[in-house]
């Protein structure tokens, strides 16, 4: 059976796609489960069986029984689903171009070179634990598995960092400098003990003394969406609404996290605002789809939710998973064709699994 090509789907209207998605889902029944990240666009999110932040989705992927896991998120999330699911299950990503630009800011060649360079000035295997944010390619998770490290997400980074410090005195944290810095700050580490490692410079652009003093080496990576949020937006909001509350994702800059009342993962943001008293007012520093959905959901309780930036900033890669690609993926499954399976090679998957399982055990 040859796969149905995408060409026939690109021109379909959203309304027609919605109908076809529902029909295909009815035919597939328990054959398929749809996992959706909170940033997913509304016209796809409405079809989700399960939603969550990266940690919750990783746990759900490990628990589901469906033979096909259709991941409405980005590439690294589908890789995690493949690694943690059973061998007979497949993880599918409706559009392979749905990557994460932050994840792409670190790669294995650069991390291995960093590790080698650190090895020239310290006993790196005994003095430093590599921690990768889950927003990273599977081979970086495998690197952490191989070198006694772990994965973390935005909801467990503190717990994982504490675990790492119980093993060795330093952490190499990649690829998000902001999550690493905020996590270290929460643990009481001074900013000057968390220098940034620039992978394009020899020795990360640091002196051997700075590396010796460092507690956390922060990879020079960031999220293009979250870097749009600025402290001045919080200041202006507070000036207008002194009683209002501010909540931000830890991928935001340190100045934004420091000025917020709460900092946490997407799941934590959703839960905090859902459970807040009626008639509260919120400014939220995370992706627009989540914020708009939440604003609508809590409006009947008199809660006001405002997006932190004046300009639209969406996760444009996650946005690629649209109703056309979802209809295409599901109708191919109905026709017996698995398109866009995400398959991590077994050796790499085994090492990455050990780092992910360590994270799930510790947190
Ligand atoms: P969460 O784990 O908080 O959902 O974050 C994932 C992400 O990519 C945020 O940009
Ligand atoms: Fe990656 Fe940023 Fe999109 Fe999150 S919002 S998936 S970090 S590009």
């Amino acid at each position: 059976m040859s796969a149905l090509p995408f060409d026939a789907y690109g021109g379909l209207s959203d309304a027609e796609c919605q109908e076809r998605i529902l029909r295909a889902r009815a035919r597939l029944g328990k054959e398929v489960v749809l996992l959706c990240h909170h940033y997913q666009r509304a016209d796809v999110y409405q079809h989700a069986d399960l939603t969550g932040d990266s940690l919750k989705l990783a746990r759900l992927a490990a628990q589901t029984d469906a033979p096909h896991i259709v991941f409405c998120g980005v590439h690294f999330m589908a890789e995690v689903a493949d690694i943690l699911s059973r061998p007979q299950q497949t993880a599918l990503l409706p559009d392979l171009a749905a990557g994460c630009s932050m994840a792409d800011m670190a790669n294995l060649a650069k991390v291995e070179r960093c590790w080698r360079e650190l090895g020239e000035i310290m006993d790196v295997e005994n003095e430093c634990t590599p921690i990768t944010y889950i927003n990273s390619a599977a081979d970086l998770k495998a690197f952490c598995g191989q070198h006694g490290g772990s994965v973390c997400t935005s909801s467990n980074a503190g717990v994982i960092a504490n675990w790492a410090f119980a093993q060795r005195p330093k952490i190499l944290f990649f690829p998000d400098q902001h999550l690493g810095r905020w996590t270290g700050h929460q643990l009481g580490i001074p900013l000057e003990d968390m220098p940034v490692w620039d992978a394009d410079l020899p020795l990360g652009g640091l002196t051997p003394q700075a590396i010796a003093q460092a507690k956390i080496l922060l990879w020079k990576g960031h999220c293009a969406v979250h870097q749009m949020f600025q402290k001045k937006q919080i200041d202006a909001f507070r000036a207008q609404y002194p009683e209002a509350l501010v909540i931000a994702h830890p991928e935001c800059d340190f100045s934004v996290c420091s000025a917020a009342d709460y900092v946490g993962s997407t799941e934590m943001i959703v839960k905090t605002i859902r459970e807040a008293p009626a008639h509260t007012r919120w400014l939220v520093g995370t992706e627009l789809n989540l914020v708009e959905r939440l604003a609508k959901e809590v409006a009947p309780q008199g809660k006001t939710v405002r997006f932190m930036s004046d300009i639209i900033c969406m996760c444009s890669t996650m946005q690629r998973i649209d109703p056309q690609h979802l209809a295409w993926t599901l109708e191919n499954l109905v026709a017996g064709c698995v398109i866009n399976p995400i398959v991590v090679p077994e050796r790499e998957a085994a090492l990455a699994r050990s780092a992910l399982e360590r994270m799930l055990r510790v947190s």
Side-chain angles (χ1 to χ4, degrees), residues 35-86:
L35 261 53
C36 246
H37 187 263
H38 287 302
Y39 293 164
Q40 195 62 67
R41 44 195 289 166
D43 49 14
V44 167
Y45 194 86
Q46 65 181 5
H47 298 290
D49 293 308
L50 302 163
T51 62
D53 64 5
S54 307
L55 180 63
K56 188 169 161 196
L57 291 172
R59 288 192 197 283
L60 291 169
Q63 287 162 10
T64 176
D65 287 327
H68 303 299
I69 303 169
V70 174
F71 217 112
C72 298
V74 288
H75 194 270
F76 74 81
M77 298 177 185
E79 277 188 337
V80 169
D82 176 55
I83 293 165
L84 293 179
S85 58
R86 282 180 285 284

Side-chain angles (χ1 to χ4, degrees), residues 21-319:
I21 290 167
L22 291 174
R23 235 180 293 139
R25 297 226 54 198
R27 297 268 306 268
L28 290 163
K30 291 194 176 354
E31 287 286 293
V32 72
V33 64
L34 235 102
L35 261 53
C36 246
H37 187 263
H38 287 302
Y39 293 164
Q40 195 62 67
R41 44 195 289 166
D43 49 14
V44 167
Y45 194 86
Q46 65 181 5
H47 298 290
D49 293 308
L50 302 163
T51 62
D53 64 5
S54 307
L55 180 63
K56 188 169 161 196
L57 291 172
R59 288 192 197 283
L60 291 169
Q63 287 162 10
T64 176
D65 287 327
H68 303 299
I69 303 169
V70 174
F71 217 112
C72 298
V74 288
H75 194 270
F76 74 81
M77 298 177 185
E79 277 188 337
V80 169
D82 176 55
I83 293 165
L84 293 179
S85 58
R86 282 180 285 284
Q88 61 277 20
Q89 293 176 291
T90 50
L92 292 82
L93 185 66
D95 185 347
L96 290 179
C100 164
S101 56
M102 176 212 280
D104 295 341
M105 289 181 188
N107 63 42
L108 187 59
K110 287 184 175 180
V111 169
E112 284 185 336
R113 193 173 70 225
C114 165
W115 200 247
R116 261 195 321 276
E117 289 185 344
L118 290 177
E120 284 162 18
I121 54 174
M122 68 170 93
D123 176 6
V124 69
E125 296 290 342
N126 289 308
E127 286 182 50
C128 190
T129 303
I131 303 291
T132 188
Y133 187 23
I134 197 165
N135 296 38
S136 57
D139 56 3
L140 291 182
K141 296 183 176 84
F143 176 90
C144 290
Q146 192 171 9
H147 295 278
S150 179
V151 179
C152 77
T153 73
S154 58
S155 47
N156 62 18
V159 177
I160 299 298
N162 267 329
W163 165 84
F165 283 131
Q167 323 297 310
R168 303 170 192 172
K170 290 185 198 300
I171 290 175
L172 171 63
F173 191 95
F174 44 87
D176 185 19
Q177 59 170 297
H178 299 298
L179 175 64
R181 187 177 291 111
W182 182 249
T183 303
H185 172 72
Q186 292 298 98
L187 299 183
I189 299 173
L191 295 184
E192 59 271 23
D193 292 348
M194 296 187 279
V196 174
W197 181 278
D198 183 343
D200 293 327
L201 298 172
L203 218 53
L206 300 172
T207 61
Q209 292 80 352
I211 293 169
Q213 188 194 322
K215 290 291 291 170
I216 304 182
L217 290 159
L218 301 169
W219 196 262
K220 193 179 175 195
H222 64 269
C223 165
V225 178
H226 288 85
Q227 77 165 2
M228 304 305 288
F229 304 120
Q230 295 168 9
K231 181 177 175 295
K232 66 177 184 203
Q233 295 153 348
I234 300 181
D235 294 341
F237 183 73
R238 287 204 196 277
Q240 204 179 351
Y241 306 108
E243 81 300 345
L245 292 158
V246 179
I247 190 163
H249 194 277
E251 287 174 16
C252 293
D253 185 80
F254 184 74
S255 59
V256 170
C257 292
S258 303
D261 297 295
Y262 303 92
V263 178
S265 78
T266 57
E267 185 76 13
M268 182 271 198
I269 292 172
V270 171
K271 190 169 182 293
T272 304
I273 297 182
R274 266 189 194 146
E275 292 175 0
H279 306 291
T280 41
R281 184 182 294 276
W282 293 85
L283 184 70
V284 184
T286 198
E287 206 263 358
L288 185 60
N289 280 301
L290 180 157
V291 180
E292 283 186 338
R293 186 161 40 245
L294 193 54
K296 258 193 221 143
E297 183 192 317
V298 300
Q301 300 150 31
K303 295 179 205 170
T304 311
V305 172
R306 194 194 301 162
F307 188 53
M308 196 178 283
S309 174
D310 301 328
I311 55 164
I312 292 173
C313 35
M314 285 179 162
C315 181
S316 56
T317 45
M318 187 121 28
Q319 195 77 0

